[in-house]
Amino acid sequence: MQIGRKNMKMTIEERTLHFKQPAGTSRGVYTTRTSWFVEAVDGQARGVGECAPLPDLSCDALPGYARLLRRFCDDVERTGEIPYDALRNYPSMLFGIETALLSLNAACSMQHAPLFDTPFCRGEQGIPINGLVWMGSYNEMLQRMEQKLEQGFRCVKLKIGAIDFEQELDLLKRIRDRFSHREVELRLDANGAFPFEEALYKLELLSQYAIHSIEQPIKAGQWAFMAELCRESPLPIALDEELIGVNDPDAKRQMLHIIKPRYIVLKPSLHGGMAGCREWIELAREEGISSWITSALESNIGLNAIAQFCSSVYGDDISVPQGLGTGQLFTDNIPMPLEIRGDQLWISKPF
């Protein structure tokens, strides 16, 4: 991205955000998360981007993160360009810098323009999203599931793998006793919780509840096993964690060709920033693989950028629910003109 502003300066602010409720995954429970906010300033114009690596998950959640981010920002200040090749292995940093420069360019247009010129970015239409049910106890998950259904979500995603599998099956049965697959789409995310030896059996049991798809049933890095599951599973499989750290285009193409999933789930902070996600989408299309975009516990700064990026990637009519509802998770979030209406994310007032 050429910005051509030699007087631009970039600053970095570290901030800790606090969850309203503990966010449970098969990797543990988050109560706080740390983000680094990159601000690009040129005269009176400013743009902000969020760098939000997740510990034990992001490939660039490394010691000395802030120092390395500062070095990349210095490079951008000096050259006026994003060093995409150097940032390939640092997706959260790339995403934050991309966002900061896009929003700076918008501010410098003197029109306070959105990041992209789409109906969503202009506040003319919403993006359909799934309702997310985090891991917890049986009663907690049941209550959260009921809330999502009452709010009108027609696509509900459940994170599974933390409680007894029979109880998780019971949760799914409760939904299907009330709503058919035509009324409510069910997605599952196992976060790699199933041992390979048990995975196919569990997928067969889950399939009786008309599941749309399941993300990452086994741990990442087992390409042969995952390819076998994709061939044999009665449920469509989506890759998520499997994509983390696979940043070279040839490696991406090889993975998709070998595993052949039905879907890939893309998070700019984890999967190569905006540039890397566009690359994933194009390579997946070559293999007949569909995709959708999800946020990854960013603040509203990151969520806003991901949502606008999503609208630019998939066009004016997004029919597949995206995973963009996590902006409501924090007690100390950053105000942005975003709101959820029913089961859609909207920009509440045009930029």
Side-chain angles (χ1 to χ4, degrees):
M1 181 187 299
Q2 177 70 43
I3 58 174
R5 293 190 173 90
K6 297 301 183 182
N7 296 324
M8 182 197 68
K9 298 297 180 185
M10 303 182 76
T11 61
I12 301 169
E13 177 192 358
E14 181 178 344
R15 185 180 299 188
T16 298
L17 302 172
H18 300 81
F19 286 92
K20 294 178 181 178
Q21 302 177 32
T25 76
S26 61
R27 293 173 176 267
V29 178
Y30 293 106
T31 57
T32 63
R33 66 98 17 93
T34 300
S35 289
W36 284 263
F37 293 90
V38 174
E39 182 177 63
V41 180
D42 183 8
Q44 297 300 310
R46 60 187 291 272
V48 179
E50 181 177 5
C51 303
L54 286 170
D56 302 319
L57 187 60
S58 299
C59 64
D60 58 352
L62 304 169
Y65 184 94
R67 185 171 60 254
L68 186 56
L69 177 59
R70 180 68 261 172
R71 194 186 81 190
F72 285 126
C73 288
D74 290 343
D75 290 343
V76 175
E77 283 184 348
R78 185 178 64 256
T79 66
E81 298 180 352
I82 295 178
Y84 283 103
D85 287 342
L87 278 164
R88 268 195 180 274
N89 294 323
Y90 306 95
S92 67
M93 298 185 197
L94 175 56
F95 175 60
I97 292 172
E98 286 175 314
T99 302
L101 298 190
L102 279 169
S103 57
L104 175 64
N105 286 343
C108 285
S109 72
M110 305 304 291
Q111 300 171 1
H112 199 49
L115 303 184
F116 302 96
D117 185 20
T118 69
F120 171 77
C121 297
R122 296 192 297 268
E124 298 170 1
Q125 70 179 37
I127 295 176
I129 61 175
N130 61 247
L132 178 61
V133 175
W134 285 95
M135 289 180 177
S137 69
Y138 176 85
N139 289 331
E140 288 171 337
M141 292 184 70
L142 179 60
Q143 181 183 21
R144 293 167 188 168
M145 181 181 69
E146 293 285 353
Q147 289 174 345
K148 296 302 177 185
L149 296 174
E150 289 171 4
Q151 290 166 5
F153 283 96
R154 289 167 291 182
C155 177
V156 178
K157 174 179 170 179
L158 290 88
K159 286 186 172 287
I160 63 173
I163 63 175
D164 179 74
F165 184 66
E166 293 299 324
Q167 290 185 311
E168 291 172 335
L169 291 176
D170 184 65
L171 284 172
L172 298 173
K173 182 178 184 301
R174 283 174 177 263
I175 300 178
R176 281 293 172 247
D177 284 345
R178 292 174 52 191
F179 301 97
S180 74
H181 70 278
R182 289 180 295 275
E183 296 170 297
V184 174
E185 179 179 285
L186 289 177
R187 296 176 179 173
L188 303 178
D189 185 357
N191 288 124
F194 298 164
F196 172 70
E197 295 77 14
E198 302 174 9
L200 188 58
Y201 172 68
K202 290 185 173 181
L203 293 175
E204 289 171 349
L205 292 178
L206 292 168
S207 68
Q208 64 187 307
Y209 299 110
I211 305 300
H212 171 271
S213 59
I214 182 167
E215 295 177 34
Q216 207 66 44
I218 63 174
K219 289 182 180 179
Q222 306 177 82
W223 288 15
F225 286 160
M226 187 67 84
E228 182 177 338
L229 283 183
C230 288
R231 288 195 304 270
E232 303 296 332
S233 172
L235 290 182
I237 289 176
L239 300 186
D240 180 357
E241 289 94 335
E242 199 75 62
L243 311 179
I244 296 173
V246 183
N247 301 313
D248 177 77
D250 290 337
K252 292 178 181 181
R253 185 178 288 106
Q254 182 183 29
M255 170 190 283
L256 295 175
H257 184 71
I258 290 173
I259 298 179
K260 291 183 171 59
R262 183 77 64 86
Y263 306 103
I264 58 174
V265 183
L266 295 165
K267 301 177 174 71
S269 290
L270 295 174
H271 301 135
M274 298 184 196
C277 285
R278 287 187 189 276
E279 194 171 73
W280 273 116
I281 290 167
E282 290 305 313
L283 292 171
R285 283 174 177 164
E286 292 175 8
E287 294 285 342
I289 298 166
S290 300
S291 63
W292 63 85
I293 289 174
T294 299
S295 51
L297 305 183
E298 295 89 358
S299 76
N300 279 335
I301 296 292
L303 175 61
N304 169 64
I306 294 168
Q308 293 198 48
F309 169 67
C310 178
S311 73
S312 78
V313 168
Y314 294 126
D316 295 352
D317 184 20
I318 302 176
S319 58
V320 175
Q322 309 292 305
L324 302 175
T326 58
Q328 297 178 313
L329 290 177
F330 304 110
T331 61
D332 45 3
N333 213 330
I334 298 165
M336 290 292 287
L338 296 169
E339 65 179 9
I340 295 176
R341 305 177 194 169
D343 65 347
Q344 292 191 339
L345 182 70
W346 284 77
I347 289 179
S348 57
K349 57 182 179 181
F351 284 87

